[in-house]
């Protein structure tokens, strides 16, 4: 029922190369389209994936919404250097208007006031943290908006952004859908202006976190959520581990609101834990995204 933010499947494997081989077989024929008329008969294009193929890649380490912790920034820079040594061209890129993107995305996920999300948890055997993390969705939307106004007064603009995300009526929901359609065009135009084929960025704001962290720091999903809303092909691979230098640099990480404070705390004592980078490409260009992921792993 979520029209503009659809679910999608993807393989998980020890390496990106195995993922590529898996998808190569999935898209080797029109088997899916022959059985489902709503699926286009899109076949694997090996010329986009073949070894030695070079791309112009836009990269960024901060999406303008949630600053990544030091190790997550470092591995993107290291991946950039690997790709340059392999002959790819890397240029800086700034994703447009990510804060508003996240507000609209969350509004679409909770288009029924969050009823579907809450029901799916209540009907399951869920740990208490799942119930508490969706507490604000249980409040009337008018109360959520009032809390957002108070948050703004106290300088908590990011919390206020979330407080205004759930649509109050069909008109607001339609406006969200329209915004997504326009945003997708804006984003593609930004890539064309920068003349980039593929994007490289952090996979998350912190290293492999404690079990409860993703629910408590939901806004940190902005780096991956962006490509859900854009309907881009995206993949993640391990690019390093959290180091002693990252631990020291973490002392300078911001604590301007509760989410930054929690991200900092969840990142402490993480030496040796894995760090990932993310690669994304527009629809029907998954082969290019996979080529770059594989090159990062082999570089």
């Amino acid at each position: 029922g979520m029209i503009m933010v659809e679910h999608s499947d993807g393989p998980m494997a020890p390496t990106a190369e195995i993922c590529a081989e898996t998808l190569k077989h999935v898209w080797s024929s029109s088997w899916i389209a022959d059985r489902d008329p709503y699926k286009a008969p899109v076949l694997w294009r090996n010329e986009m994936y073949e070894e030695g193929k070079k791309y112009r890649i836009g990269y960024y380490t901060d999406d303008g919404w949630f600053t990544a912790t030091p190790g997550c920034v470092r591995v993107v820079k290291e991946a950039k250097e690997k790709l340059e040594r392999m002959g790819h061209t890397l240029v800086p890129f700034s994703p447009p208007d990510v804060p508003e993107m996240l507000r609209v995305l969350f509004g679409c996920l909770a288009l029924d006031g969050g009823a579907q999300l809450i029901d799916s948890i209540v009907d399951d055997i869920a740990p208490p943290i799942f119930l508490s993390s969706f507490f604000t969705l249980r409040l009337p939307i008018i109360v959520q908006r009032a809390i957002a106004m108070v948050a703004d007064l106290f300088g908590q603009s990011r919390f206020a952004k979330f407080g205004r995300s759930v649509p109050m009526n069909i008109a607001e929901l339609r406006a969200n859908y329209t915004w997504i359609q326009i945003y997708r065009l804006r984003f593609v135009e930004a890539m064309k202006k920068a003349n980039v084929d593929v994007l490289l960025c952090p996979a998350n704001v912190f290293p492999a976190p404690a079990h409860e962290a993703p629910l408590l720091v939901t806004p940190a999903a902005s780096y991956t959520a962006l490509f859900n809303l854009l309907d881009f092909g995206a993949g993640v691979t391990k690019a390093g581990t959290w180091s002693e230098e990252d631990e020291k640099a973490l002392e300078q990480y911001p604590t301007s609101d509760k989410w930054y404070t929690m991200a900092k705390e969840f990142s402490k004592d993480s030496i040796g834990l894995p760090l990932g980078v993310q690669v994304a490409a527009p629809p029907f260009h998954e082969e290019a995204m996979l080529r770059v992921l594989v090159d990062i792993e082999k570089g």
Side-chain angles (χ1 to χ4, degrees), residues 54 57 59 77-91:
K54 308 305 179 190
I57 303 166
Y59 75 95
K77 292 179 179 179
E78 291 175 351
K80 167 190 174 288
E81 293 170 0
K82 282 184 182 180
L83 292 168
E84 286 177 327
R85 287 195 298 269
M86 299 181 77
H88 296 283
T89 301
L90 278 290
V91 298

mmCIF file of all heavy atoms in Angstrom, residues 54 57 59 77-91:
data_model
loop_
_atom_site.group_PDB
_atom_site.id
_atom_site.type_symbol
_atom_site.label_atom_id
_atom_site.label_comp_id
_atom_site.label_asym_id
_atom_site.label_seq_id
_atom_site.Cartn_x
_atom_site.Cartn_y
_atom_site.Cartn_z
ATOM 1 N N LYS A 54 35.199 1.638 -16.492
ATOM 2 C CA LYS A 54 35.474 2.787 -15.654
ATOM 3 C C LYS A 54 34.259 3.709 -15.580
ATOM 4 O O LYS A 54 33.551 3.901 -16.574
ATOM 5 C CB LYS A 54 36.680 3.577 -16.175
ATOM 6 C CG LYS A 54 37.915 2.737 -16.410
ATOM 7 C CD LYS A 54 38.331 1.943 -15.170
ATOM 8 C CE LYS A 54 39.554 1.089 -15.438
ATOM 9 N NZ LYS A 54 39.838 0.144 -14.328
ATOM 10 N N ILE A 57 32.307 8.794 -10.697
ATOM 11 C CA ILE A 57 31.602 8.504 -9.449
ATOM 12 C C ILE A 57 31.540 9.752 -8.573
ATOM 13 O O ILE A 57 32.563 10.382 -8.290
ATOM 14 C CB ILE A 57 32.319 7.371 -8.683
ATOM 15 C CG1 ILE A 57 32.431 6.123 -9.567
ATOM 16 C CG2 ILE A 57 31.594 7.053 -7.380
ATOM 17 C CD1 ILE A 57 33.398 5.081 -9.045
ATOM 18 N N TYR A 59 30.985 11.315 -4.897
ATOM 19 C CA TYR A 59 31.130 10.820 -3.526
ATOM 20 C C TYR A 59 30.813 11.917 -2.514
ATOM 21 O O TYR A 59 30.978 13.107 -2.782
ATOM 22 C CB TYR A 59 32.544 10.270 -3.288
ATOM 23 C CG TYR A 59 33.609 11.339 -3.142
ATOM 24 C CD1 TYR A 59 33.998 11.797 -1.883
ATOM 25 C CD2 TYR A 59 34.217 11.894 -4.271
ATOM 26 C CE1 TYR A 59 34.958 12.793 -1.756
ATOM 27 C CE2 TYR A 59 35.178 12.881 -4.148
ATOM 28 C CZ TYR A 59 35.549 13.326 -2.882
ATOM 29 O OH TYR A 59 36.487 14.306 -2.766
ATOM 30 N N LYS A 77 36.612 7.782 2.184
ATOM 31 C CA LYS A 77 37.779 8.423 1.575
ATOM 32 C C LYS A 77 38.779 7.375 1.079
ATOM 33 O O LYS A 77 39.377 7.531 0.008
ATOM 34 C CB LYS A 77 38.430 9.360 2.582
ATOM 35 C CG LYS A 77 37.575 10.577 2.931
ATOM 36 C CD LYS A 77 38.257 11.463 3.957
ATOM 37 C CE LYS A 77 37.401 12.690 4.272
ATOM 38 N NZ LYS A 77 38.041 13.552 5.305
ATOM 39 N N GLU A 78 38.958 6.302 1.842
ATOM 40 C CA GLU A 78 39.871 5.238 1.432
ATOM 41 C C GLU A 78 39.346 4.507 0.199
ATOM 42 O O GLU A 78 40.111 4.156 -0.704
ATOM 43 C CB GLU A 78 40.092 4.260 2.582
ATOM 44 C CG GLU A 78 40.895 4.860 3.736
ATOM 45 C CD GLU A 78 41.012 3.932 4.933
ATOM 46 O OE1 GLU A 78 40.330 2.884 4.947
ATOM 47 O OE2 GLU A 78 41.752 4.266 5.873
ATOM 48 N N ALA A 79 38.017 4.289 0.154
ATOM 49 C CA ALA A 79 37.416 3.651 -1.028
ATOM 50 C C ALA A 79 37.575 4.547 -2.252
ATOM 51 O O ALA A 79 37.836 4.062 -3.364
ATOM 52 C CB ALA A 79 35.943 3.355 -0.760
ATOM 53 N N LYS A 80 37.424 5.850 -2.060
ATOM 54 C CA LYS A 80 37.637 6.813 -3.155
ATOM 55 C C LYS A 80 39.047 6.656 -3.728
ATOM 56 O O LYS A 80 39.237 6.608 -4.956
ATOM 57 C CB LYS A 80 37.423 8.229 -2.641
ATOM 58 C CG LYS A 80 37.917 9.334 -3.580
ATOM 59 C CD LYS A 80 37.885 10.686 -2.891
ATOM 60 C CE LYS A 80 38.498 11.776 -3.752
ATOM 61 N NZ LYS A 80 39.960 11.685 -3.877
ATOM 62 N N GLU A 81 40.042 6.593 -2.838
ATOM 63 C CA GLU A 81 41.431 6.470 -3.292
ATOM 64 C C GLU A 81 41.669 5.148 -4.021
ATOM 65 O O GLU A 81 42.376 5.102 -5.037
ATOM 66 C CB GLU A 81 42.368 6.603 -2.091
ATOM 67 C CG GLU A 81 42.352 8.004 -1.478
ATOM 68 C CD GLU A 81 43.083 8.066 -0.148
ATOM 69 O OE1 GLU A 81 43.603 7.020 0.294
ATOM 70 O OE2 GLU A 81 43.131 9.161 0.452
ATOM 71 N N LYS A 82 41.060 4.065 -3.534
ATOM 72 C CA LYS A 82 41.177 2.769 -4.215
ATOM 73 C C LYS A 82 40.640 2.859 -5.634
ATOM 74 O O LYS A 82 41.274 2.410 -6.591
ATOM 75 C CB LYS A 82 40.379 1.698 -3.462
ATOM 76 C CG LYS A 82 41.018 1.131 -2.231
ATOM 77 C CD LYS A 82 40.128 0.027 -1.686
ATOM 78 C CE LYS A 82 40.674 -0.579 -0.411
ATOM 79 N NZ LYS A 82 39.796 -1.658 0.103
ATOM 80 N N LEU A 83 39.455 3.442 -5.761
ATOM 81 C CA LEU A 83 38.804 3.516 -7.072
ATOM 82 C C LEU A 83 39.594 4.397 -8.035
ATOM 83 O O LEU A 83 39.678 4.104 -9.233
ATOM 84 C CB LEU A 83 37.369 4.028 -6.907
ATOM 85 C CG LEU A 83 36.417 3.072 -6.184
ATOM 86 C CD1 LEU A 83 35.113 3.780 -5.813
ATOM 87 C CD2 LEU A 83 36.124 1.839 -7.036
ATOM 88 N N GLU A 84 40.172 5.471 -7.510
ATOM 89 C CA GLU A 84 40.991 6.334 -8.369
ATOM 90 C C GLU A 84 42.221 5.585 -8.876
ATOM 91 O O GLU A 84 42.606 5.731 -10.038
ATOM 92 C CB GLU A 84 41.399 7.588 -7.598
ATOM 93 C CG GLU A 84 40.246 8.575 -7.408
ATOM 94 C CD GLU A 84 40.625 9.775 -6.579
ATOM 95 O OE1 GLU A 84 41.462 9.634 -5.662
ATOM 96 O OE2 GLU A 84 40.055 10.860 -6.817
ATOM 97 N N ARG A 85 42.828 4.777 -8.009
ATOM 98 C CA ARG A 85 43.994 3.997 -8.434
ATOM 99 C C ARG A 85 43.628 2.990 -9.520
ATOM 100 O O ARG A 85 44.462 2.624 -10.354
ATOM 101 C CB ARG A 85 44.605 3.262 -7.238
ATOM 102 C CG ARG A 85 45.351 4.171 -6.264
ATOM 103 C CD ARG A 85 46.229 3.365 -5.328
ATOM 104 N NE ARG A 85 45.474 2.458 -4.486
ATOM 105 C CZ ARG A 85 45.003 2.760 -3.284
ATOM 106 N NH1 ARG A 85 45.223 3.971 -2.767
ATOM 107 N NH2 ARG A 85 44.337 1.869 -2.578
ATOM 108 N N MET A 86 42.356 2.566 -9.526
ATOM 109 C CA MET A 86 41.902 1.584 -10.508
ATOM 110 C C MET A 86 41.433 2.248 -11.804
ATOM 111 O O MET A 86 40.989 1.566 -12.728
ATOM 112 C CB MET A 86 40.787 0.729 -9.917
ATOM 113 C CG MET A 86 41.207 -0.075 -8.694
ATOM 114 S SD MET A 86 39.888 -1.107 -8.033
ATOM 115 C CE MET A 86 39.903 -2.468 -9.202
ATOM 116 N N GLY A 87 41.487 3.584 -11.855
ATOM 117 C CA GLY A 87 41.160 4.283 -13.094
ATOM 118 C C GLY A 87 39.807 4.967 -13.134
ATOM 119 O O GLY A 87 39.468 5.612 -14.129
ATOM 120 N N HIS A 88 39.003 4.844 -12.061
ATOM 121 C CA HIS A 88 37.722 5.552 -12.008
ATOM 122 C C HIS A 88 37.972 7.035 -11.709
ATOM 123 O O HIS A 88 39.009 7.409 -11.152
ATOM 124 C CB HIS A 88 36.827 4.961 -10.920
ATOM 125 C CG HIS A 88 36.422 3.539 -11.157
ATOM 126 N ND1 HIS A 88 35.444 3.181 -12.064
ATOM 127 C CD2 HIS A 88 36.877 2.372 -10.614
ATOM 128 C CE1 HIS A 88 35.300 1.862 -12.048
ATOM 129 N NE2 HIS A 88 36.165 1.351 -11.186
ATOM 130 N N THR A 89 37.007 7.862 -12.060
ATOM 131 C CA THR A 89 37.076 9.293 -11.771
ATOM 132 C C THR A 89 36.125 9.613 -10.624
ATOM 133 O O THR A 89 34.935 9.282 -10.696
ATOM 134 C CB THR A 89 36.692 10.125 -13.005
ATOM 135 O OG1 THR A 89 37.582 9.793 -14.083
ATOM 136 C CG2 THR A 89 36.780 11.610 -12.705
ATOM 137 N N LEU A 90 36.629 10.224 -9.571
ATOM 138 C CA LEU A 90 35.825 10.560 -8.397
ATOM 139 C C LEU A 90 35.696 12.070 -8.260
ATOM 140 O O LEU A 90 36.699 12.797 -8.307
ATOM 141 C CB LEU A 90 36.460 9.988 -7.133
ATOM 142 C CG LEU A 90 36.224 8.513 -6.762
ATOM 143 C CD1 LEU A 90 34.798 8.256 -6.319
ATOM 144 C CD2 LEU A 90 36.622 7.573 -7.881
ATOM 145 N N VAL A 91 34.471 12.560 -8.091
ATOM 146 C CA VAL A 91 34.227 13.992 -7.919
ATOM 147 C C VAL A 91 33.272 14.200 -6.740
ATOM 148 O O VAL A 91 32.412 13.352 -6.467
ATOM 149 C CB VAL A 91 33.621 14.620 -9.193
ATOM 150 C CG1 VAL A 91 34.574 14.497 -10.366
ATOM 151 C CG2 VAL A 91 32.278 13.972 -9.529
#
